[in-house]
């Protein structure tokens, strides 16, 4: 089976989640996938795809993240490789790019895939639906199939191997769109990619009280998130909002500080492997979804956690 | 200006998720349905644009007759007319095909919808519709203004945002804070009763078929740690949970 992986780059390298997608692709039927990388990166970083099972990397150097151009790159790469299964991670960028390519090719697309496809009888994938509250097993019937895997369901472990890197050119058409300005927080851990997330809710009492939470995040090497009321009140930027209408995270560890656990918030975090809840209200609904809980004042608990984390 | 707003009819966020017929069908029993949370933002922005720029706002839903209360609600919020494509919205491709088939040649300047539906969370219908119609697409769009034949948008990207100028027509997947959700008033509700709601047949067929559904395993009990001994949590996370 010819398999193509649409990957994402950050700081000149593959994102961790994209390495997971490459690993996933290499395990579908054992054949080595081809990787498409669009953006900015150097050849050494791109060749890293080989360690995760890729045979070749097609690299298109693009200064700006334009969805129309990225999806044309993907379509051209599908045409060049004759790929029948296209894999990416589930992310806002991949959603936009994969959707345009699948729409053009009249192909089935399934998102939030959690396991390798079952090819014993047709092509059946399992995916998470209802924001993690259920799973579906679905047969994909089109000749070309698009799969977007959920972050953190596949282990990306380097196993050696080399990939050749080829520059990849195509006729790009921004379709009348131009990017005027890009604002990106630099030097911060990416929230959707993070292994550990420390999040704060209204129980943090105000933006000026965020330091203890930031201290714990720093000690753990964690990204920071927040609840919807906190971003609505502008205590924290919108891109930190975790929940049904914000970022959906799937870290190994999610620590919620002063968040009561409204169902809309849970929808954004229930894919986390381990959930810790710190809240002064023992009746907070979040404790029902948690693995570990502490009933107490966040401003007393957080410094203790930070101290213990620094001692690790 | 002509705006098409596509809405999904989805179970309320608090709905209990259950399946029937040997786990092959979602159980609608006792489930309250709503307009998808993100679609509500798209609708609200379309109605705002109608108020400031003047626009004909058409709302489209792919769904069975039980979607009609939600379609009427969209009309009560301020859409002018509605279309229901009479079919179960089985997969993203199928839904996108219906929207593209309806919109083709009708001269919509903007096709708006939520960034994703809150049931299947795929987030790809807008991109597919745009590809089928040969239009640019953007998602998730957090701000949208229209100036003549151009739109200026602010789109969320990982860790930040992009400001983009684009030619319209265009397709957009919307999310907060593009507009405040609107609640229909009595006048709107009365007016909605007589606004046109056209029912049209579906075209084409889905590319996927559900084999079955399953629920995740039940969550174990939460282990409580006394606040005075908070530091011990870190050791538990390292040794017991193995996440540090």
């Amino acid at each position: 089976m010819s398999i193509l992986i649409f990957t994402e780059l950050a700081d000149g390298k593959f994102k961790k989640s994209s390495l997971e997608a490459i690993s996933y692709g290499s395990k579908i039927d054992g054949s080595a996938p081809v990787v498409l990388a669009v953006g900015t990166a150097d050849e050494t970083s791109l060749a890293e795809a080989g360690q995760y099972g890729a045979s070749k990397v097609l690299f298109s150097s693009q200064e700006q993240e334009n969805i129309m151009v990225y999806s044309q790159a993907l379509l051209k790469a599908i045409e060049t490789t004759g790929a029948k299964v296209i894999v990416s991670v589930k992310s806002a960028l991949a959603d936009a790019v994969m959707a345009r390519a699948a729409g053009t090719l009249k192909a089935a697309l399934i998102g939030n895939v959690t396991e390798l496809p079952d090819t014993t009888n047709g092509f059946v994938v399992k995916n998470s639906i209802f924001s993690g509250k259920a799973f579906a097993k679905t047969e994909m019937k089109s000749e070309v199939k698009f799969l977007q895997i959920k972050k953190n369901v596949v282990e990306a472990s380097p196993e050696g191997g080399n990939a050749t890197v080829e520059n990849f050119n195509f006729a790009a058409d921004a379709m009348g769109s131009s990017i005027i300005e890009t604002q990106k927080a630099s030097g911060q851990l990416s929230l959707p990619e993070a292994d550990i997330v420390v999040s704060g809710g209204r129980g943090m009492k105000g933006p000026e009280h965020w330091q203890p939470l930031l201290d714990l995040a720093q000690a753990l090497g964690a990204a920071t998130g927040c609840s919807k009321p906190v971003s609505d009140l502008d205590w924290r930027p919108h891109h930190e909002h975790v929940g049904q209408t914000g970022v959906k995270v799937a870290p190994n560890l999610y620590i919620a500080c002063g968040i009561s656990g409204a169902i809309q918030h849970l929808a954004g975090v229930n894919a986390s492997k381990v959930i810790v809840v710190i809240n002064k209200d023992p009746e907070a609904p979040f404790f029902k979804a948690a693995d570990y809980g502490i009933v107490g004042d966040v401003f007393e608990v957080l410094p203790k956690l930070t101290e213990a984390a620094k001692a690790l | 200006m002509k705006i098409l707003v596509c809405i999904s009819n989805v179970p309320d966020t608090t709905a209990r998720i259950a399946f029937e017929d040997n786990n092959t069908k979602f159980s609608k029993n006792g489930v309250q349905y709503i307009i998808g949370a993100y679609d509500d933002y798209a609708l609200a922005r379309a109605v705002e644009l109608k108020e400031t720029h003047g626009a004909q706002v058409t709302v489209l839903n792919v769904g069975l007759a039980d979607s009609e209360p939600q379609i009427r609600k969209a009309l009560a919020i301020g859409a002018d007319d509605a279309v229901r494509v009479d079919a179960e919205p089985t997969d993203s491709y199928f839904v996108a095909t219906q929207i593209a088939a309806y919109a083709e040649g009708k001269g919509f300047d903007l096709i708006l919808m939520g960034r994703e539906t809150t049931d299947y969370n795929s987030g790809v219908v807008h991109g597919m519709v745009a590809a089928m119609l040969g239009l640019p697409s953007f998602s998730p769009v957090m701000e949208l203004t229209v100036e003549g034949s151009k739109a200026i948008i602010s789109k969320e990207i990982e860790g930040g945002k992009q400001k983009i100028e684009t030619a319209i027509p265009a397709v957009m997947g919307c999310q907060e804070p593009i507009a405040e959700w609107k609640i229909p008033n009595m006048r709107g509700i009365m007016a909605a009763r007589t606004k046109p709601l056209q029912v049209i047949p579906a075209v084409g067929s889905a590319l996927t078929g559900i084999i079955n559904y399953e629920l995740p395993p039940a969550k174990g009990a939460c282990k409580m740690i006394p606040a005075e001994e908070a530091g011990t949590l870190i050791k538990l996370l390292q040794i017991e949970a193995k996440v540090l």
Side-chain angles (χ1 to χ4, degrees):
Chain A
M1 212 177 316
S2 175
I3 297 159
L4 178 70
I5 320 291
F6 172 75
T7 56
E8 295 174 41
L9 303 165
D11 304 322
K13 295 188 301 192
F14 289 110
K15 287 186 184 172
K16 177 179 145 262
S17 57
S18 285
L19 296 175
E20 292 171 4
I22 299 169
S23 282
Y24 178 96
S26 71
K27 285 170 189 149
I28 291 177
D29 68 353
S31 60
V34 174
V35 164
L36 172 67
V38 189
T40 51
D42 62 67
E43 197 172 321
T44 320
S45 302
L46 292 168
E48 203 193 349
Q51 298 189 24
Y52 297 85
S55 59
K56 185 159 76 174
V57 178
L58 302 175
F59 174 59
S60 168
S61 172
Q62 297 291 336
E63 290 293 320
Q64 286 191 314
E65 190 180 293
N66 185 306
I67 297 302
M68 274 51 76
V69 173
Y70 275 46
S71 58
Q72 288 150 15
L74 179 56
L75 280 164
K76 186 71 189 170
I78 295 167
E79 190 191 311
T80 308
T81 58
K84 293 291 176 265
V85 178
I86 325 300
V87 178
S88 80
V89 72
K90 179 87 175 101
S91 72
L93 171 64
D95 284 358
V97 173
M98 296 281 276
R100 291 190 68 91
T104 305
L105 297 175
K106 303 195 178 348
L109 183 158
I110 303 264
N112 286 315
V113 174
T114 57
E115 288 177 7
L116 282 167
D118 178 353
T119 53
T120 48
N121 190 5
F123 193 99
V124 177
V125 295
K126 181 175 173 180
N127 70 328
S128 156
I129 56 172
F130 290 110
S131 305
K133 286 189 277 188
F135 296 94
K137 274 191 182 153
T138 309
E139 185 182 5
M140 301 179 80
K141 297 170 186 165
S142 55
E143 194 200 355
V144 179
K145 300 164 185 78
F146 286 74
L147 273 60
Q148 292 186 263
I149 63 167
K150 206 170 162 69
K151 283 176 187 167
N152 221 358
V153 296
V154 187
E155 188 91 18
S157 45
E159 286 163 14
N162 279 306
T164 54
V165 179
E166 274 177 28
N167 278 316
F168 183 65
N169 298 308
F170 61 99
D173 174 8
M175 301 181 77
S177 68
S178 60
I179 295 160
I180 303 167
E181 194 187 352
T182 301
Q183 288 174 20
K184 210 163 186 172
S186 60
Q188 273 186 14
L189 274 167
S190 149
L191 177 58
E193 292 278 309
D195 287 327
I196 305 175
V197 174
V198 183
S199 256
R202 257 183 307 196
M204 295 299 295
K205 296 197 171 110
E208 68 279 18
H209 298 130
W210 232 257
Q211 199 54 46
L213 189 155
L214 300 177
D215 290 343
L216 176 62
Q218 198 184 10
L220 292 171
T224 54
C226 68
S227 66
K228 184 170 189 295
V230 164
S231 85
D232 284 350
L233 290 163
D234 270 333
W235 290 3
R236 301 293 298 173
H238 186 270
H239 62 78
E240 282 199 4
H241 162 203
V242 172
Q244 182 168 42
T245 57
V247 179
K248 295 192 186 76
V249 297
N252 290 325
L253 174 59
Y254 186 81
I255 303 180
C257 311
I259 303 177
S260 63
I263 197 147
Q264 290 81 354
H265 187 74
L266 297 185
V269 306
N270 57 17
S272 309
K273 292 219 166 89
V274 172
I275 295 177
V276 171
V277 169
I278 306 161
N279 204 299
K280 67 174 195 290
D281 175 9
E283 300 298 320
F286 215 154
F287 285 115
K288 287 199 178 69
D291 300 282
Y292 296 94
I294 298 178
V295 177
D297 182 343
V298 283
F299 299 106
E300 286 167 22
V301 172
L302 281 171
K304 286 183 185 154
L305 294 179
T306 306
E307 195 185 322
K310 279 183 179 160
L312 278 178
Chain B
M1 185 161 47
K2 283 182 75 177
I3 307 176
L4 181 66
V5 180
C6 308
I7 61 167
S8 57
N9 178 44
V10 295
D12 185 15
T13 315
T14 56
R16 194 179 77 92
I17 304 300
F19 302 100
E20 57 192 27
D21 289 357
N22 221 0
N23 284 330
T24 57
K25 211 173 136 201
F26 177 73
S27 173
K28 291 185 174 179
N29 200 359
V31 172
Q32 174 77 36
Y33 277 77
I34 56 168
I35 298 174
Y38 295 105
D39 306 326
D40 247 340
Y41 288 117
L43 176 64
R45 187 64 190 132
V47 172
E48 286 176 0
L49 286 170
K50 175 182 160 178
E51 285 159 2
T52 54
H53 291 60
Q56 168 83 14
V57 177
T58 301
V59 53
L60 180 149
N61 167 259
V62 180
L64 302 178
D66 58 8
S67 296
E68 291 198 1
Q70 279 61 255
I71 299 174
R72 288 284 173 206
K73 187 184 170 198
L75 291 169
I77 285 170
D80 298 292
D81 63 334
V83 179
R84 179 170 68 81
V85 180
D86 189 25
E88 216 38 280
T90 40
D91 67 28
S92 304
Y93 173 81
F94 179 73
V95 172
T97 304
Q98 309 314 317
I99 298 168
Y102 174 76
E104 179 87 64
K106 293 208 172 54
F108 289 108
D109 300 287
L110 291 171
I111 300 177
L112 307 181
M113 63 191 82
R115 67 172 290 184
E116 66 183 45
T117 61
T118 45
D119 49 4
Y120 279 70
N121 318 112
S122 293
V124 292
V125 171
H126 31 77
M128 286 183 171
V129 169
M132 290 168 182
L133 294 172
L135 299 176
S137 54
F138 306 91
S139 179
V141 175
M142 300 164 71
E143 284 170 42
L144 163 63
T145 53
V146 178
E147 292 165 15
S149 59
K150 288 185 314 193
I152 312 285
I153 63 170
S154 165
K155 179 171 89 87
E156 189 156 73
I157 54 170
E158 215 168 278
K161 53 187 174 181
Q162 268 180 346
K163 193 175 173 191
I164 300 171
E165 184 181 295
T166 182
I168 54 174
V171 185
M172 297 180 196
C174 305
Q175 75 167 30
E176 60 174 10
I178 193 163
E180 293 276 335
W181 279 347
K182 294 193 185 310
I183 297 160
N185 57 28
M186 191 45 79
R187 212 169 124 232
I189 293 166
M190 296 301 282
R193 289 184 185 168
T194 52
K195 285 181 180 173
L197 194 173
Q198 189 192 357
V199 179
I200 59 172
V203 295
S205 54
L207 298 176
T208 62
I210 290 287
I211 309 249
N212 60 32
Y213 296 100
E214 59 186 74
L215 294 169
K219 187 104 190 164
C222 178
K223 192 170 197 167
M224 301 306 292
I225 291 121
E228 318 67 77
E229 295 161 30
T232 60
L233 171 68
I234 298 294
K235 275 274 169 281
L236 285 171
L237 292 173
Q238 185 183 28
I239 293 155
E240 190 178 80
K242 297 188 173 63
V243 288
L244 290 180

